[in-house]
Every structure is written in structure tokens, then in C-alpha cells.
Amino acid sequence: DIQKYLSEPKEGSQKDESNHHLYETALPRAIQNIQKLAKAFRRVRDETDGGGCEVIFCYLQSRTNDNRDISLDYKLSGPTLTNIPTFNTPPEQLFLDQLRPDTENGKGD
């Protein structure tokens, strides 16, 4: 999951040995690879005049501000997954700056 709320250290938390590899190595590499894939899929989509690939961005979102509507599975997975974005979360806080839907060129993602 590459949603912003799972891909950045929480405010006030410290990067430490337990998450150093995630934030310093694995996540940057994954983001670069996903950027390459999205670029390639967009190119295929745009060069085939509407055919080819679709680029779809999905995200988890709670429909209630207190997250009472999320499944028991998420609630049992710990505080990180019980604090998913709500319908009041601004769109710019849903996706990482490096990975977001392309809505500028009129084709949309």
C-alpha cells in the first residue's frame, strides 16, 4: 500500500533501526518502480488512442470520521490501519506527491 498515511513516518515519531530500511531503502525503490510503471502505462494508453492500459489509483477511506465503519480485520491490525483517511481528508493528503493521479492532461487516471 503506497497511500500517504502508510508511507511516511507519523508526526512526532522517529526513524529508528526498526523502520530505517523501510523509509530509507525499500519505500524509495518501490516508489521509483511504481513511477516507471505508471509512466509506461500512461504512454501505452495515450499512444493507442484510448486503447491499451488504464491507470487506476485506489485508496482506503473510512466513511465515518471515527472509523467505526472499517472492518474488524483492520481494527485488529493495529493503530496504523485503524486510522485510515476519512471522507473529510483533503485529496492532496491521500496520495504521495511522487505518485498521484494525472488529472492535468484531460485523459485522467
Side-chain angles (χ1 to χ4, degrees):
D1 194 337
I2 301 293
Q3 279 187 250
K4 194 169 192 168
Y5 83 101
L6 288 174
S7 301
E8 296 178 342
K10 301 297 170 240
E11 191 173 316
S13 69
Q14 299 292 323
K15 290 183 185 177
D16 59 29
E17 289 304 314
S18 68
N19 62 21
H20 175 79
H21 178 74
L22 171 66
Y23 293 115
E24 300 298 325
T25 305
L27 193 58
R29 185 175 299 147
I31 290 170
Q32 289 174 349
N33 289 336
I34 294 169
Q35 285 175 313
K36 290 177 187 176
L37 285 169
K39 182 178 179 180
F41 286 134
R42 287 177 178 135
R43 186 179 63 247
V44 169
R45 175 197 65 198
D46 296 346
E47 289 176 358
T48 57
D49 198 29
C53 302
E54 292 212 23
V55 181
I56 299 173
F57 283 78
C58 300
Y59 57 92
L60 294 174
Q61 186 177 49
S62 175
R63 300 294 295 162
T64 59
N65 284 327
D66 60 4
N67 291 319
R68 69 181 181 272
D69 63 323
I70 63 173
S71 72
L72 181 60
D73 183 47
Y74 281 97
K75 291 176 182 176
L76 294 175
S77 296
T80 301
L81 291 179
T82 59
N83 193 22
I84 65 174
T86 68
F87 64 95
N88 288 328
T89 303
E92 63 273 3
Q93 291 180 10
L94 294 173
F95 300 105
L96 294 171
D97 292 336
Q98 309 94 307
L99 295 170
R100 53 180 58 253
D102 177 14
T103 57
E104 300 294 318
N105 69 11
K107 299 215 179 203
D109 283 349

